[in-house]
Amino acid sequence: MDQSLRDQSRSLLKRVTKQCMTGQAYGFMSSSVYDTAWLSMLHKPGNSEKWIFPECFEFILQNQLPSGAWESYASETDGILNTAAALLALKAHLRECPGNQDWVLRSKKAESTLRLMLDSWDVGNTDQVGFELLVIKHLSLLEDEGISFECLALDVLRDLHNSKFSKVPITHIYEEPSTLYHSLEALIDHVDFDRLKCHKEDNGSMFNSPASTAAYLMHSSAWDDKAESYLEQVVAHGTGKKDGGVPCAWPTTIFEVTWVVTTLAEIGFPMASEHELGTISIFLEQALASRGGLVGFAPSILPDADDTAKAMIALHHLGKPTKALPLLTAFNGDDHFRTYKGERNASFSANCNILMCLLTLEDWVAHGAEIAKAISFLCVQVFSGKVKEKWHTHDLYWIMLLSQAFVLLYRRAQDRDRQLLDELFVKEPQLRQQIPMTSLQVLFATLSSQDSNGSWSNICELTAYAVIALCSMLQLPWIHQLQDERIITAIHKGKSFLDTHRGQWDEGHHLWVEKVTYASNTLSEAYCLVAALVPVTLYPPQHHPAFLLPTEVTEGVKRAMNLINKTPLFSRTRPEILQGARLLAAYALCYLQHQRMDIFPQLKNGKVDQKYQVFTPVIWSACSAKRRNAVDLSTLCDMMSFSMVIYQVDEYMEGSIQKDFGRHLPLVRGLVRQLCSSHRAGLRDGKGHADDFQGSTADGLASGAYATLEDIRSTLNRFIEYVVHHPAVLSSPQGVQNTLSYELETFLVAHIAQAEDNQRFALQGATTTSAEGNPTPQSTPREYQNPGKSFYNWVRGTSANHTSCPFAFIFFNCLVSKSFPSIYRTAKSAYLAEDLCRHLASLCRMYNDYGSVARDKDEGNLNSVNFPEFHRGVSRKVRQGLDDGNSIKDQLMWIADYERDGLNRATRALEQELCEDKFMDALRVFIDVTDLYGQTYVQRDLTSRTM
């Protein structure tokens, strides 16, 4: 270990130890324009001309940007709150000095810029501490100053504001401490500040918030000297270093001590003395004891689950075991753990820390249910792509914590006497696949986001998170077995970047979330130290049998991937990308086998070739990997399941209906239309007009045939319900649901039409002459005489619908619309989307037919090459020796390539229209999957034979 790194680690630990032993309050959060503005408005009653903190107002003036705004550290909300609070401060000072033209000009520029910021604000994607209360209140206070604002974002914001107030009666604030004390400025005109004094902290603050304490002082009827003294301490000892700037919370002693200690514990506290570690232990033990086994971010502050869990983990590393009962009693929720009572959105990182806390306990085995709950919540959040970490702005932070938690879980699982994983999988069996799949997904995301210089976003702190995460993931056996050189290379490049930029380790960035985001130089340095010192594990970890994949699964997936690797789409793809996709597909296949739905009955002849069950997860995983995992795991698995069900539709329609009920296809068509119509009418059982249907069209059926029709009704009804009652479909706009229902009906009717075409084609027999009267050579496919429509109309209509592509396209958009705006939001985008889809469906069908000529000939099914257009003049050339018979398939491939050109044009046009790069990446996954199915048909016929 580098001696200078050891020395730097010890120096950092000494600084942390100092916080625990001097009695002096500490905090290392960066200065906040927002809180500083509130302090700058303070003056004592009766002495309005004397501002208590003139240096704070000077800080505000010095930090105004040329645009008139104040800095948006890491989010739009930061800039809005900073600018609104600073504008209030300017207005307050102008009341005392209205002739100051510099302040007047600054005020006008701030007002103008704030309007622009509000107009462009995306409220729906905002989740910062109390933002819905804070912004509304600041705009209300500005309105009192004669400045009013109106914009679309405010309507959404007011709804959130009213919803927040409706959940907890405001009078509860007088009864017990709550997180609202951290944001009292939002409650001006709503509460009696005189009644809040009894909940003031021992240091004179309101929840250690400078802004909240300033608001309390302004609106109390009697001046509070202790609160003023607290603010003086913040200005003197906060991170502003007496330049007038103050942080958004101070002091934050427990937060910083526990985060540094638990971070440095990853490398074993290099060179720490027993005195230092003992001092920290005593400080944390006393803090926990004083609040009944719970702590907040500073002594005496309202406890929270995150800081409590971190304190318990720190004490574990310091050799001081604790009990989890207070933590679990206070913060246990239905399906996750809460950070505070009454929080609006769950914290992913807090649940990671609680999971790690439980796994470090001496009696961890007694908390299997809580461990299962935490892991399930974390996996579900990653699976669904819904991770929105509320205390940090960047994904790499929670990825690092999740990776560390998985490693800790796996280490516990190696304790053979306790069999943690066996108990866990009894409670939550899906975790057997979800844990590896989740870790693979975050691995791919981490690797793909590294910059060419070895960093992540050119920020040392973020690079440290990524290096620590990758080093943790290498300790998971399913990750290690990938033998992916990219992981080791990424780690070494990340470490090299950190070494080159060592002078920036203690320069934190605004990554942490409070009312506004903040930076912590201390935490940045701690993470960078650990990333530089953490070893790279190269030896293979022991593979727990719970995560072992069946040999038949791994071999089947390997064969499928080898075939896919030969297609044009993947012939140039890097092997390690496909290796990762192959492993993800293997776990997904096992996951789907446990999720299998019994919609369709097994074919009567018992011959079911289920190779599609292997190819489906391989194709989806490979295409997702090619597009840098642009769709979340939940969407991926839903589409895998959907694709498998579509294969079963093909089997059922060709086997049970076409062959066993082929004489009554018009009845089946009527049944399909009736069922889909009933579901559109909102009738779940699909029997809205069953009596009318039977009386008008099913009369005269033999009892056996009638029974078969009822079986068909039940089967198709189960399939329709599977589609139209999928949660993603039900949460889509009604118009999209209706469109999906019509496309579903069109898909099923296309199967009936295809079956009728097959019957007519079979009735022609083995004709020996073409439509032109020429003899048909044996080397050419049979010609479909008098088809009733051109090949163009057939392949763009019945044939394209038969592929399921148009129907699946809408279903896929229902799944991804939770993350992106609707593709159907304008007439132009909807038209381009459908044009794209039609090109794709026609292309896929032609590739399918190209690879299925022999199969379709054996089974008597109509194929594209049977249409008359392909036979004109070919027979004569074959007889003359001018054509070997392959020109028919060559023409089909040329037309398919023509459709590909149309697909590419439509895709480019849609991309330009939507201007949504992430959505287009997700859409390209769907396009690639559909294209790949066609390309694999050229390589090998995947479709199950039903004869």
Side-chain angles (χ1 to χ4, degrees):
M1 183 183 293
D2 186 304
Q3 183 60 44
S4 64
L5 292 175
R6 293 162 64 99
D7 292 343
Q8 188 174 353
S9 299
R10 184 171 186 184
S11 174
L12 176 59
L13 204 59
K14 278 181 174 291
R15 296 202 304 272
V16 168
T17 304
K18 185 179 179 181
Q19 293 192 50
C20 303
M21 58 189 297
T22 62
Q24 171 65 54
Y26 282 89
F28 298 113
M29 290 182 176
S30 58
S31 294
S32 154
V33 167
Y34 173 83
D35 286 81
T36 305
W38 275 93
L39 265 67
S40 74
M41 291 185 276
L42 271 176
H43 54 73
K44 285 188 176 182
N47 192 4
S48 60
E49 295 181 1
K50 184 177 180 182
W51 303 98
I52 299 177
F53 299 111
E55 64 270 47
C56 290
F57 187 61
E58 186 62 29
F59 179 91
I60 295 300
L61 296 178
Q62 290 177 359
N63 283 275
Q64 188 175 19
L65 301 174
S67 67
W70 278 261
E71 187 176 357
S72 296
Y73 304 128
S75 71
E76 295 174 297
T77 310
D78 291 345
I80 289 169
L81 282 174
N82 282 341
T83 302
L87 179 55
L88 277 174
L90 279 169
K91 287 295 184 179
H93 282 71
L94 279 169
R95 284 198 301 270
E96 305 300 325
C97 189
N100 190 312
Q101 291 305 305
D102 177 50
W103 296 354
V104 170
L105 178 61
R106 287 173 178 270
S107 175
K108 289 181 178 179
K109 291 180 69 176
E111 179 184 339
S112 176
T113 306
L114 182 56
R115 292 186 190 281
L116 295 175
M117 296 167 80
L118 289 168
D119 285 339
S120 63
W121 187 25
D122 184 2
V123 178
N125 286 323
T126 301
D127 187 20
Q128 285 182 220
V129 180
F131 81 95
E132 63 273 75
L133 303 183
L134 294 169
V135 175
I136 287 291
K137 176 47 62 179
H138 281 75
L139 297 183
S140 173
L141 293 173
L142 285 170
E143 190 170 356
D144 294 342
E145 298 288 344
I147 305 173
S148 60
F149 298 88
E150 283 299 332
C151 62
L152 293 176
L154 292 186
D155 291 335
V156 178
L157 192 63
R158 289 187 182 102
D159 289 341
L160 291 171
H161 176 274
N162 296 336
S163 174
K164 182 102 172 187
F165 267 128
S166 67
K167 288 182 179 179
V168 180
I170 198 65
T171 54
H172 283 194
I173 196 172
Y174 304 126
E175 300 169 6
E176 59 182 2
S178 80
T179 54
L180 287 174
Y181 278 83
H182 195 62
S183 305
L184 290 178
E185 66 273 25
L187 303 183
I188 294 170
D189 300 326
H190 292 285
V191 297
D192 180 354
F193 280 82
D194 289 340
R195 296 177 61 185
L196 304 179
K197 184 173 183 178
C198 60
H199 293 301
K200 190 175 57 176
E201 303 297 334
D202 294 341
N203 60 10
S205 76
M206 287 296 179
F207 213 112
N208 283 16
S209 165
S212 186
T213 307
Y216 159 72
L217 270 174
M218 291 178 191
H219 295 277
S220 295
S221 60
W223 190 255
D224 191 319
D225 291 328
K226 194 168 185 179
E228 179 187 359
S229 176
Y230 161 77
L231 294 176
E232 289 172 346
Q233 291 290 311
V234 178
V235 174
H237 300 291
T239 49
K241 298 178 181 178
K242 300 182 181 181
D243 68 352
V246 299
C248 47
W250 190 91
T252 51
T253 315
I254 291 177
F255 165 62
E256 284 163 356
V257 167
T258 56
W259 256 254
V260 169
V261 168
T262 55
T263 301
L264 292 181
E266 293 291 318
I267 51 173
F269 302 115
M271 298 296 291
S273 69
E274 290 187 10
H275 171 70
E276 290 165 347
L277 299 182
T279 299
I280 295 171
S281 295
I282 293 171
F283 171 76
L284 293 179
E285 285 182 305
Q286 290 176 344
L288 281 168
S290 68
R291 300 302 297 260
L294 304 172
V295 292
F297 63 79
S300 80
I301 286 293
L302 183 72
D304 66 86
D306 212 9
D307 287 289
T308 299
K310 279 288 194 179
M312 293 171 67
I313 296 171
L315 286 170
H316 162 77
H317 289 301
L318 296 168
K320 303 292 183 180
T322 56
K323 296 294 183 181
L325 184 60
L327 172 69
L328 299 180
T329 302
F331 303 110
N332 207 355
D334 292 336
D335 63 354
H336 67 278
F337 293 92
R338 300 184 297 268
T339 311
Y340 290 101
K341 293 179 181 178
E343 73 175 344
R344 183 163 58 93
N345 297 321
S347 164
F348 191 91
S349 66
N351 278 269
C352 283
N353 287 326
I354 292 166
L355 173 59
M356 287 190 278
C357 172
L358 294 174
L359 290 168
T360 59
L361 296 172
E362 287 188 338
D363 62 341
W364 59 269
V365 73
H367 301 294
E370 289 81 10
I371 290 171
K373 176 191 293 187
I375 297 174
S376 295
F377 170 77
L378 297 173
C379 286
V380 166
Q381 294 296 302
V382 178
F383 242 68
S384 63
K386 292 180 179 177
V387 180
K388 285 188 176 181
E389 173 46 41
K390 65 191 301 179
W391 305 118
H392 202 281
T393 64
H394 206 281
D395 288 349
L396 282 171
Y397 177 66
W398 65 258
I399 286 175
M400 173 187 67
L401 295 178
L402 182 65
S403 303
Q404 292 173 317
F406 280 166
V407 170
L408 190 53
L409 170 69
Y410 198 79
R411 286 176 183 168
R412 281 301 198 189
Q414 301 308 306
D415 188 341
R416 297 180 180 178
D417 295 332
R418 293 175 174 173
Q419 298 297 318
L420 170 63
L421 289 183
D422 292 340
E423 295 180 15
L424 182 64
F425 294 150
V426 169
K427 295 181 175 68
E428 302 289 348
Q430 77 282 358
L431 292 177
R432 194 184 299 268
Q433 294 85 38
Q434 283 188 341
I435 290 172
M437 291 173 70
T438 298
S439 57
L440 286 166
Q441 185 83 340
V442 298
L443 168 67
F444 301 152
T446 304
L447 291 175
S448 66
S449 59
Q450 187 176 26
D451 296 329
S452 58
N453 65 354
S455 76
W456 276 261
S457 302
N458 279 311
I459 295 176
C460 288
E461 188 173 349
L462 291 180
T463 302
Y465 298 160
V467 169
I468 295 169
L470 291 174
C471 288
S472 296
M473 287 186 229
L474 268 183
Q475 300 176 57
L476 299 171
W478 54 89
I479 300 291
H480 196 281
Q481 76 181 43
L482 285 174
Q483 297 296 307
D484 190 342
E485 294 181 358
R486 293 181 303 163
I487 303 175
I488 302 298
T489 301
I491 292 172
H492 287 311
K493 287 179 68 176
K495 283 175 172 277
S496 176
F497 175 85
L498 290 173
D499 183 61
T500 303
H501 298 81
R502 187 170 174 180
Q504 300 174 18
W505 289 6
D506 61 352
E507 296 176 8
H509 286 254
H510 287 83
L511 300 170
W512 302 82
V513 179
E514 237 271 358
K515 296 177 193 176
V516 293
T517 55
Y518 65 94
S520 172
N521 296 342
T522 300
L523 297 187
S524 177
E525 183 180 6
Y527 285 115
C528 289
L529 277 166
V530 172
L533 291 168
V534 65
V536 181
T537 305
L538 297 177
Y539 57 86
Q542 182 180 355
H543 210 316
H544 193 284
F547 292 109
L548 286 174
L549 290 162
T551 303
E552 62 271 19
V553 168
T554 56
E555 289 301 315
V557 167
K558 182 178 180 181
R559 288 192 297 270
M561 191 63 79
N562 288 339
L563 176 62
I564 286 171
N565 199 27
K566 296 175 184 177
T567 62
L569 189 62
F570 282 96
S571 59
R572 296 183 180 179
T573 303
R574 293 170 59 181
E576 59 270 22
I577 292 177
L578 292 182
Q579 174 76 354
R582 191 176 85 186
L583 185 58
L584 181 65
Y587 280 110
L589 177 56
C590 294
Y591 177 75
L592 293 171
Q593 286 173 343
H594 291 295
Q595 308 290 319
R596 181 175 173 84
M597 294 154 292
D598 295 322
I599 296 176
F600 295 95
Q602 186 174 346
L603 295 178
K604 292 180 180 179
N605 58 19
K607 292 179 62 177
V608 181
D609 184 355
Q610 295 184 340
K611 56 180 175 283
Y612 69 82
Q613 292 192 10
V614 176
F615 271 93
T616 295
V618 171
I619 286 175
W620 276 100
S621 297
C623 292
S624 179
K626 180 180 176 64
R627 297 296 177 182
R628 297 177 60 165
N629 303 288
V631 295
D632 57 65
L633 287 171
S634 176
T635 298
L636 205 61
C637 288
D638 276 345
M639 287 308 298
M640 290 175 187
S641 178
F642 178 85
S643 299
M644 290 183 178
V645 170
I646 294 302
Y647 270 109
Q648 293 168 22
V649 173
D650 291 342
E651 290 177 344
Y652 182 72
M653 299 297 281
E654 292 181 15
S656 295
I657 293 182
Q658 180 178 331
K659 290 182 172 59
D660 299 335
F661 208 68
R663 291 189 302 163
H664 306 290
L665 292 179
L667 279 178
V668 180
R669 178 186 285 107
L671 175 61
V672 166
R673 294 196 185 284
Q674 178 263 320
L675 287 170
C676 291
S677 176
S678 294
H679 276 284
R680 281 195 292 274
L683 302 178
R684 181 178 177 83
D685 62 3
K687 294 184 178 181
H689 307 286
D691 293 338
D692 294 341
F693 170 78
Q694 293 166 0
S696 59
T697 32
D699 289 343
L701 278 180
S703 60
Y706 183 82
T708 301
L709 185 63
E710 283 301 303
D711 289 341
I712 292 172
R713 176 198 297 278
S714 298
T715 300
L716 293 180
N717 195 54
R718 286 195 298 270
F719 170 62
I720 294 169
E721 284 192 340
Y722 158 73
V723 175
V724 300
H725 292 123
H726 188 284
V729 174
L730 293 175
S731 63
S732 297
Q734 189 60 50
V736 175
Q737 293 186 50
N738 289 338
T739 302
L740 176 66
S741 176
Y742 283 116
E743 287 292 352
L744 167 58
E745 179 180 332
T746 302
F747 164 67
L748 292 174
V749 168
H751 270 277
I752 307 302
Q754 177 75 40
E756 291 171 334
D757 280 335
N758 291 340
Q759 288 178 344
R760 285 192 292 269
F761 183 56
L763 288 174
Q764 292 181 181
T767 56
T768 58
T769 60
S770 69
E772 298 170 334
N774 298 317
T776 303
Q778 291 293 320
S779 60
T780 60
R782 279 198 300 136
E783 181 180 341
Y784 184 25
Q785 298 181 357
N786 302 316
K789 61 180 69 174
S790 68
F791 171 67
Y792 178 89
N793 285 328
W794 178 80
V795 80
R796 282 294 189 95
T798 300
S799 180
N801 293 327
H802 181 269
T803 66
S804 81
C805 179
F807 157 49
F809 183 82
I810 300 175
F811 185 79
F812 177 79
N813 276 282
C814 289
L815 294 177
V816 299
S817 63
K818 63 180 182 289
S819 304
F820 306 105
S822 172
I823 196 173
Y824 304 107
R825 59 182 178 267
T826 68
K828 189 176 178 181
S829 65
Y831 188 90
L832 289 171
E834 187 162 355
D835 184 50
L836 179 158
C837 184
R838 286 291 155 178
H839 286 298
L840 182 61
S842 301
L843 171 68
C844 180
R845 179 55 190 253
M846 285 185 260
Y847 267 78
N848 185 335
D849 282 2
Y850 185 96
S852 304
V853 171
R855 167 194 178 272
D856 286 337
K857 180 179 179 180
D858 291 345
E859 297 186 357
N861 292 330
L862 180 63
N863 187 291
S864 293
V865 298
N866 300 124
F867 271 77
E869 290 91 329
F870 292 94
H871 293 262
R872 291 167 185 161
V874 172
S875 298
R876 177 173 50 81
K877 290 181 180 179
V878 171
R879 290 195 310 275
Q880 295 174 352
L882 301 176
D883 192 326
D884 59 4
N886 287 325
S887 65
I888 289 179
K889 292 182 69 174
D890 291 342
Q891 288 186 74
L892 180 62
M893 186 57 68
W894 185 94
I895 297 171
D897 288 339
Y898 178 83
E899 288 291 343
R900 183 180 297 282
D901 290 340
L903 169 65
N904 292 337
R905 286 194 302 272
T907 303
R908 290 192 297 269
L910 183 62
E911 184 173 27
Q912 293 172 1
E913 172 66 16
L914 295 177
C915 298
E916 292 279 352
D917 291 344
K918 289 185 177 180
F919 172 79
M920 290 304 300
D921 286 342
L923 185 59
R924 284 190 173 93
V925 173
F926 179 88
I927 294 171
D928 288 346
V929 166
T930 308
D931 190 10
L932 185 56
Y933 272 119
Q935 292 184 24
T936 52
Y937 278 119
V938 175
Q939 297 287 332
R940 175 183 177 185
D941 181 13
L942 301 184
T943 307
S944 302
R945 294 190 176 224
T946 57
M947 292 182 66

